[in-house]
Amino acid sequence: MTAVARYALADYLRSQRFVAPLVVLLGFLAVLHAFPGSVVSGYGASAAALVPIGVWLTLGLHNAEDPLQTEVTIANAGGRRRVVIGKTCAALAAVLALAAVALVWPLVSAGRPYPPADLAAGLLAHLTCGVTGVALGTCCARPLIRRQGHAFATALLLSLVALVSRPLSPANRTIRLMSAAPPRPSAAELLLLAAWALVLLAVLAPLSSWAGQRRR
């Protein structure tokens, strides 16, 4: 699966599909941090943006290959499950890279350090929202949703649900905690939400592989 992840990430970079979500994130960060403010609430806003951007990026990575080439990759990798999980790991690496950009941006723009506890809260918030975006994006890729327009619309709808659904989404709870700062959210609660997002990803990725096999 590591080889599949490396191959999928290299193929995604060659396709240049990463440019659009990256530009959107950079533009959002430039506006968000144009004026000084609470770094914790700012991290909450950029973490929220990482949900739809993570879904978008994940969908583009999973669908970077055409269907015929995907079947060749599945045959070489030894099964659809390996390919889905490998591509999901590649998407997770790409989203974490975007999260790193979002974390560093206010430090550079403000020109001063922030308390380590604020940075830790921002890291956990971006991890939770980024992983949630990857989990949802994996559910919209081919062959589950074959038409690109339908897949993108479904991905956008799932992003909105993740942002507004209180009982189901770890992203929603994380964003509300960060936006309410001060006081800073507790590390224990943020860790639990990040673990919740990772469990969601661990469930949805194999489920998407199984459903995709039946959908063929």
Side-chain angles (χ1 to χ4, degrees), residues 5 9 18 35 42 78 89 100 136 153 171 178 189 205:
L9 195 55
F18 70 93
F35 303 98
C89 291
L136 297 178
M178 298 293 286
E189 189 164 13

Side-chain angles (χ1 to χ4, degrees), residues 27-141:
F28 179 81
L29 292 175
V31 174
L32 176 64
H33 298 293
F35 303 98
S38 169
V39 69
V40 175
S41 59
Y43 279 153
S46 57
L50 205 58
V51 174
I53 290 174
V55 170
W56 184 5
L57 186 151
T58 302
L59 183 60
L61 191 147
H62 274 277
N63 291 344
E65 295 180 309
D66 60 62
L68 181 59
Q69 182 59 44
T70 299
E71 293 301 321
V72 174
T73 303
I74 290 170
N76 290 331
R80 183 175 297 275
R81 181 175 176 272
R82 286 178 176 270
V83 172
V84 171
I85 294 178
K87 288 186 175 183
T88 301
C89 291
L92 184 59
V95 167
L96 290 179
L98 295 185
V101 173
L103 283 171
V104 171
W105 190 286
L107 304 179
V108 175
S109 62
R112 59 184 177 85
Y114 287 103
D118 289 350
L119 297 178
L123 175 62
L124 291 172
H126 285 86
L127 175 63
T128 301
C129 292
V131 170
T132 301
V134 172
L136 297 178
T138 302
C139 298
C140 299

Side-chain angles (χ1 to χ4, degrees), residues 9-23:
L9 195 55
D11 187 56
Y12 181 64
L13 293 175
R14 282 195 301 269
S15 72
Q16 298 186 357
R17 294 190 180 195
F18 70 93
V19 173
L22 176 61
V23 168

Side-chain angles (χ1 to χ4, degrees), residues 16 28 70 81 114 133 144 152 156 162-163 168 174-175 181-182 190-191 202 209 211:
Q16 298 186 357
F28 179 81
T70 299
R81 181 175 176 272
Y114 287 103
L144 293 178
F152 189 79
L156 180 60
L163 290 172
L168 299 175
T174 299
I175 294 163
L190 290 175
L191 279 170
S209 172

Side-chain angles (χ1 to χ4, degrees), residues 157-182:
L157 178 61
L158 288 176
S159 299
L160 293 175
V161 171
L163 290 172
V164 303
S165 176
R166 292 192 178 190
L168 299 175
S169 171
N172 175 273
R173 176 62 178 166
T174 299
I175 294 163
R176 287 190 291 116
L177 286 173
M178 298 293 286
S179 300

